[in-house]
Amino acid sequence: MKGTVYVLEDDQSICGLIKVSLELNGFQLKTFSSCREFLEGINAARPDVALLDIMLPDGSGLDVLKAIKLKYPDVWCIMLSALGKEEDRVNGLNLGADDYMPKPFSVLELTARVNGVMRRKSRLTQLVCGDISLDEETMQVTLGGSPLSLNRKEFELLRFFMKNVGKVLTRDTLLTEIWGYEAGETRTLDNHIARLRKLGISNLETVFGVGYKFTV
């Protein structure tokens, strides 16, 4: 089996076509016809890829997209929508979609894009710095072989540091990259740094008046 794909689509004929094509290509599929059912499903078990319609009977697939990216950032999302204007596609991508296919679409092309997503996911490598190991796909972190329990922002912050070893990163850079805003007075960053240090991440150096640096 290549991976698991969840489909949020209320048109059963489209669901059927997607299901046949992707299952023939080795994927396991689950289909949902409402936002509520989909969110219940993803909270029970996380898929590799989510295919999301936008106009659903009980809400918008864009709201589902935002919920996924907030809670499960490792799930890759492809929007499938009759809203195919440029501004619609740009809006979806800006909200975190990894791809956007306007309806009507070719099921063969969709299958090729899902295969492409899985190839990109398979190329995600494990980051290793000293005795710290971070798996970008499973979001698991170990220190000296022992697992660490990190929340999403702690994980993203540590990952950003590990991808920028030896660089002095300003507070504004870190706040913008991880939280999406600049706020020099906030203690958010300092609190997360303190939490990582408490867990045993001793590689974080304070560069007074500037920010932080991750060393090995």
Side-chain angles (χ1 to χ4, degrees):
M1 185 182 71
K2 289 183 178 179
T4 303
V5 178
Y6 282 6
V7 183
L8 174 57
E9 170 62 68
D10 61 333
D11 187 322
Q12 294 307 306
S13 62
I14 294 177
C15 278
L17 290 172
I18 294 173
K19 183 177 177 66
V20 169
S21 182
L22 289 180
E23 286 185 344
L24 284 174
N25 275 267
F27 292 97
Q28 179 180 353
L29 251 74
K30 287 188 178 181
T31 61
F32 305 86
S33 59
S34 72
C35 299
R36 179 186 59 81
E37 290 176 351
F38 184 93
L39 291 173
E40 289 176 353
I42 200 170
N43 286 331
R46 190 166 71 245
D48 295 294
V49 181
L51 307 180
L52 307 173
D53 188 14
I54 291 181
M55 295 181 289
L56 283 305
D58 63 338
S60 170
L62 293 175
D63 291 330
V64 174
L65 169 67
K66 288 186 284 187
I68 293 172
K69 290 302 182 180
L70 180 65
K71 195 171 184 179
Y72 308 113
D74 58 321
V75 174
W76 291 56
C77 297
I78 301 176
M79 307 307 296
L80 309 175
S81 177
L83 302 175
K85 294 181 179 179
E86 182 180 7
E87 56 265 35
D88 298 317
R89 298 195 299 272
V90 170
N91 184 43
L93 294 170
N94 283 339
L95 289 174
D98 300 288
D99 204 346
Y100 195 111
M101 294 190 67
K103 295 178 180 178
F105 54 82
S106 162
V107 177
L108 292 178
E109 182 182 354
L110 174 62
T111 302
R113 293 197 187 193
V114 173
N115 276 319
V117 165
M118 294 306 297
R119 285 194 297 272
R120 292 196 295 274
K121 284 176 70 72
S122 69
R123 289 198 294 267
L124 291 176
T125 57
Q126 197 172 61
L127 301 177
V128 178
C129 293
D131 57 355
I132 304 170
S133 178
L134 181 148
D135 191 311
E136 292 186 282
E137 184 171 358
T138 64
M139 296 184 69
Q140 294 181 336
V141 178
T142 60
L143 175 63
S146 299
L148 297 181
S149 179
L150 304 182
N151 64 34
R152 187 173 64 89
K153 288 301 183 185
E154 290 165 352
F155 175 86
E156 291 177 0
L157 181 60
L158 178 60
R159 177 175 60 185
F160 190 71
F161 274 123
M162 292 177 71
K163 287 186 174 182
N164 292 277
V165 176
K167 297 180 182 178
V168 176
L169 302 172
T170 67
R171 291 174 56 85
D172 284 348
T173 295
L174 293 167
L175 287 166
T176 301
E177 290 291 336
I178 308 303
W179 285 273
Y181 61 88
E182 295 181 4
E185 297 302 319
T186 184
R187 296 293 296 175
T188 298
L189 174 59
D190 298 327
N191 290 338
H192 280 71
I193 295 290
R195 162 73 174 159
L196 290 175
R197 286 172 171 166
K198 186 176 181 180
L199 289 171
I201 307 296
S202 59
N203 312 60
L204 295 168
E205 294 184 1
T206 300
V207 181
F208 292 101
V210 182
Y212 296 92
K213 179 171 69 172
F214 187 86
T215 61
V216 177

